[in-house]
Amino acid sequence: MTEGSAGTGHRAHDHRWSGPEPDVAAGAGHVDPPPRVGFFTDTSVCIGCKACEVACKEWNAVPEDGLLLTGMSYDNTQGLGADTWRHVAFIEQRKPFGGQEPGVGHEDVDVFEAARTLGTSPSSPGPGATAPPPDGAPAAAPAGEVPPVAPDGRTELRWLMASDVCKHCTHAACLDVCPTGSLFRTEFGTVVVQEDICNGCGYCVPACPYGVIDQRRDDGRAWKCTLCYDRLGVGMEPACAKACPTDSIQFGPLDELRERAASRLARLQAAGVSDARLYGESPDDGVGGDGAFFLLLDEPEVYGLPPDPVVTTRDLPSMWRHAAVAAASLAVMTVAGFARRPR
């Protein structure tokens, strides 16, 4: 990285602490910057292949992070962190994809008993079976019970998959609190950490409203997605978007992505997917809009995202004003107290 002074430039120019900011790169001191770029992640077409995770690690030389299964899904990276800059969430729901009614519930299912009876009946053919027995598919289960696996699949469950990443906020609190200029705003409007300047203070970690940025245990420095800043500089798209086989991760000028996302949302809602919504695209939200935003199929909390994120440094100016007034009042009272003392 060669933009060491840009971190302080973000605060030295016409920087707003909240609300819409039309040109974040110009506000950071860049002259004639290119259009702001970012990610639009359409989770409705994510297949959970984790190609984005692999591509991110390979291109950015991100270390292996343990690959520990959560026990709740096929997710083996668990969440974003210093060694996980892309994270694909797997969320299983007892709910269909669109507006159709689900089949049956699973509240009374004993999964351990079901495992013990594998291979003991035609309706429980055992490990490795992919088709019903030769004499035909088993009969449907009585109402209120779990039906056997049918050749055409089950309709009462759905998987929500979403590739999460740093949001590259319009108002980036991590950048505001960085004392060394390690975090800076690029000419593309993204937020990048210069690891060779980071002093490991950790101020940026609690400042992030999304819990994205993190410190590595071995050296204490902060790390996160750079939106492949080195690739952008030579006209290439980020590695994760390049590797995505379904175009779930789309890269481009932010204004174009917002238009594309609005069109996609309208199509889904017209098709009966009433829970579909955009997350992080609005310049009027608590962070001034995200540089990486999402089309979700359920509430943000389902994906581990805050429902109403707010830049944590929004109230800093008023806090400093109140602190200054309090300090001045204390000084006046101290002087008055000494002045009244008998000599």
Side-chain angles (χ1 to χ4, degrees):
M1 306 294 179
T2 59
E3 299 275 349
S5 63
T8 56
H10 178 77
R11 289 179 288 273
H13 290 76
D14 183 21
H15 169 58
R16 304 176 186 177
W17 294 95
S18 62
E21 188 160 1
D23 194 338
V24 292
H30 296 286
V31 179
D32 296 326
R36 184 181 180 184
V37 298
F39 288 129
F40 163 47
T41 301
D42 182 354
T43 68
S44 69
V45 295
C46 177
I47 59 175
C49 67
K50 288 182 175 283
C52 55
E53 286 191 14
V54 175
C56 177
K57 282 184 175 291
E58 287 186 342
W59 180 263
N60 295 289
V62 180
E64 185 268 330
D65 50 357
L67 301 179
L68 301 175
L69 289 171
T70 63
M72 301 298 293
S73 74
Y74 296 107
D75 180 10
N76 61 359
T77 47
Q78 303 184 42
L80 295 174
D83 295 331
T84 303
W85 298 359
R86 269 278 178 190
H87 167 240
V88 179
F90 289 71
I91 302 147
E92 182 180 313
Q93 291 184 323
R94 299 185 182 100
K95 188 175 182 180
F97 176 75
Q100 65 269 35
E101 291 296 321
V104 295
H106 302 280
E107 291 78 7
D108 300 325
V109 177
D110 186 340
V111 294
F112 297 103
E113 179 61 27
R116 281 193 292 270
T117 59
L118 280 175
T120 61
S121 69
S123 63
S124 184
T130 58
D135 56 348
E145 298 182 14
V146 177
V149 177
D152 58 351
R154 302 265 285 270
T155 60
E156 75 275 11
L157 293 177
R158 71 171 180 175
W159 281 98
L160 299 182
M161 301 173 185
S163 181
D164 197 8
V165 70
C166 172
K167 313 307 182 289
H168 295 274
C169 308
T170 295
H171 298 290
C174 60
L175 192 158
D176 289 330
V177 302
C178 180
T180 66
S182 172
L183 280 144
F184 72 95
R185 181 82 64 178
T186 74
E187 65 270 30
F188 302 104
T190 59
V191 179
V192 174
V193 183
Q194 299 173 105
E195 64 276 4
D196 56 336
I197 299 177
C198 178
N199 67 356
C201 68
Y203 294 162
C204 55
V205 176
C208 176
Y210 297 101
V212 167
I213 197 164
D214 191 21
Q215 295 171 277
R216 283 190 184 156
R217 294 182 180 179
D218 57 348
D219 66 7
R221 292 180 295 173
W223 303 79
K224 73 172 190 68
C225 162
T226 67
L227 218 148
C228 286
Y229 182 43
D230 52 346
R231 292 173 66 95
L232 299 187
V234 294
M236 301 170 66
E237 66 178 324
C240 56
K242 184 71 174 178
C244 181
T246 63
D247 280 340
S248 172
I249 301 172
Q250 302 177 35
F251 166 78
L254 200 55
D255 290 339
E256 294 181 14
L257 292 178
R258 286 170 175 164
E259 293 179 4
R260 194 181 307 170
S263 176
R264 173 63 176 163
L265 176 65
R267 291 200 303 272
L268 282 175
Q269 291 180 336
V273 188
S274 58
D275 288 338
R277 71 202 67 203
L278 295 179
Y279 178 83
E281 92 294 349
S282 174
D284 297 319
D285 67 14
V287 295
D290 292 324
F293 64 96
F294 303 80
L295 188 153
L296 304 178
L297 299 178
D298 209 325
E299 299 283 348
E301 300 95 316
V302 171
Y303 297 84
L305 296 167
D308 188 20
V310 175
V311 58
T312 53
T313 53
R314 178 190 62 181
D315 298 323
L316 275 180
S318 61
M319 291 169 62
W320 281 115
R321 285 195 295 270
H322 290 312
V325 170
S329 300
L330 181 60
V332 169
M333 288 188 293
T334 302
V335 172
F338 276 107
R340 291 174 183 174
R341 290 180 61 185
R343 298 183 181 180

